[in-house]
Amino acid sequence: MSRLFISHSSQDKEAVHAFVEFLVLGMGIPREDIFCTSLSGTLPAGQFFIERIRAALQDCRQVLCFLTPNYLKSVSCVAELGAAWIQTSKIIPLLVPPMQYSDFNNTPLLGMQMLRLDRADLMDLYDQLCVCQVAKSGRTAEFDRQLKAYLQHIDQPQLKPSLIAPDAYGYYRVKIISIRSTPPQYRCYKLESPLQLQEKMAPGESHWIFFKAGMYEDLAVGDTVAVLVGSTKLHKFPDIGYARNIYPDELKKLSSSF
C-alpha cells in the first residue's frame, strides 16, 4: 500500500519531481511509499492504470493535491480530487504559486484549509505527515537542511510565474481570469499573470485591476485588456495572500475568449 498519493498534472512533472525529492530526503518518506504517476515504475506495464489509480486513492493514508493552473485544466486531476474529497480527512491541498484560494471557489476545495509552498506551511505539512505516520519524525536537522535547499530551488527565476512586460507605449496586454466580489461601487479583476513592475514582488503575489464602477467598461472572465498603469498598492488578504491592486490610467477591452 502506498502511504502518500500525490495528485498532480503531468504538465507539472519537473516541479513534482523536485517536491518528491524533498519529501524523500527531508521527511524520510520511502520512495516506494509515494504513489505518483510521474515517477518511473508507479504504473507498471500491462496493468489497467485507471484501476491502479483508483485502488491507490482508496488505500493510501493521505492524498496531497499539488494545485497548479495545469491541475484545474486536467480532467484526470479533477476526477482524482472528487474521489479524494469523499474521504476529506485524507486530503492535503498544497497551493503552488501563482495559485490563490479564490481560484478554487467552484471546486470541492472551497472553504478547505490549504497549505502554501513556504517555510511555515511546509513545516506544518511535515508535522501532519508525521502524525499519520507517513513521514518519519525526529529528523529536525535534516528536514531543516532539505527545506532550505527546496525553498532556494523553487525561488529560481525560471520557476516563478512569467511576468507581462509593457509594449513600446507602456500598455500591458493581459487576460482576465477571475472576478473578485467587492462592494457595488468598485470593480476588481484578477490578471492571468503578474505585470512587470518596478516594485519588488511578494511571495505568491497576484495582480488585480481595481477601479470605481463606471470609470471603465465592466469586464468578464476571458476578456483581454490593454492597461496603462497609474499606480499600485500591495495588500495581504487571508483568502488570497499577497495581492497588488493595479489602478489604471487607461483601460481598454481588446477581445473576449468566449
Side-chain angles (χ1 to χ4, degrees):
M1 179 184 75
S2 298
R3 296 187 176 190
L4 180 64
F5 184 108
I6 299 182
S7 177
H8 69 288
S9 166
S10 60
Q11 299 298 312
D12 299 315
K13 181 177 180 178
E14 292 185 6
V16 170
H17 279 193
F19 182 70
V20 168
E21 286 303 302
F22 167 60
L23 295 177
V24 173
L25 299 177
M27 301 189 189
I29 304 175
R31 200 175 300 271
E32 59 271 20
D33 284 357
I34 300 174
F35 187 95
C36 176
T37 55
S38 289
L39 296 181
S40 176
T42 299
L43 296 176
Q47 293 190 10
F48 292 100
F49 70 91
I50 293 179
E51 291 302 323
R52 178 89 168 85
I53 291 172
R54 181 182 293 114
L57 271 170
Q58 292 175 344
D59 294 339
C60 70
R61 293 186 180 179
Q62 294 289 157
V63 178
L64 193 150
C65 300
F66 199 78
L67 303 175
T68 68
N70 292 320
Y71 191 96
L72 288 182
K73 297 175 184 177
S74 169
V75 174
S76 297
C77 288
V78 174
E80 290 174 0
L81 176 59
W85 180 80
I86 297 174
Q87 309 172 75
T88 52
S89 61
K90 286 187 175 184
I91 295 180
I92 301 178
L94 186 63
L95 283 177
V96 180
M99 302 304 288
Q100 304 289 341
Y101 295 114
S102 59
D103 294 320
F104 297 89
N105 285 345
N106 297 317
T107 76
L109 294 179
L110 175 63
M112 183 175 290
Q113 182 62 41
M114 302 184 190
L115 299 179
R116 296 178 178 272
L117 284 182
D118 60 29
R119 180 175 181 82
D121 280 6
L122 289 174
M123 291 175 66
D124 189 18
L125 173 64
Y126 180 42
D127 290 340
Q128 289 187 43
L129 293 180
C130 285
V131 169
C132 63
Q133 298 183 332
V134 171
K136 294 181 179 178
S137 59
R139 295 174 53 88
T140 305
E142 184 61 19
F143 172 77
D144 286 344
R145 189 172 73 84
Q146 294 297 334
L147 176 59
K148 181 179 179 180
Y150 179 66
L151 291 175
Q152 289 176 341
H153 170 75
I154 63 176
D155 195 45
Q156 295 176 32
Q158 64 268 28
L159 298 177
K160 296 179 180 179
S162 57
L163 303 180
I164 302 295
D167 63 18
Y169 301 98
Y171 286 89
Y172 296 87
R173 286 169 168 76
V174 64
K175 183 184 291 186
I176 303 298
I177 60 170
S178 70
I179 302 173
R180 186 161 174 78
S181 177
T182 61
Q185 65 269 35
Y186 299 110
R187 299 290 184 267
C188 189
Y189 304 96
K190 185 179 182 182
L191 303 182
E192 182 176 32
S193 297
L195 306 184
Q196 188 180 83
L197 303 169
Q198 293 183 347
E199 293 85 353
K200 183 179 179 180
M201 289 188 64
E205 177 180 320
S206 57
H207 287 184
W208 303 72
I209 290 177
F210 190 93
F211 57 84
K212 288 185 177 180
M215 288 184 64
Y216 303 102
E217 180 181 359
D218 284 357
L219 303 173
V221 172
D223 284 346
T224 298
V225 299
V227 57
L228 187 64
V229 176
S231 61
T232 75
K233 187 173 183 181
L234 184 66
H235 302 270
K236 187 174 183 181
F237 299 98
D239 58 336
I240 60 175
Y242 287 104
R244 184 176 296 278
N245 282 353
I246 307 295
Y247 305 105
D249 271 349
E250 290 186 37
L251 180 65
K252 297 181 289 188
K253 185 168 76 170
L254 301 178
S255 64
S256 174
S257 63
F258 299 105

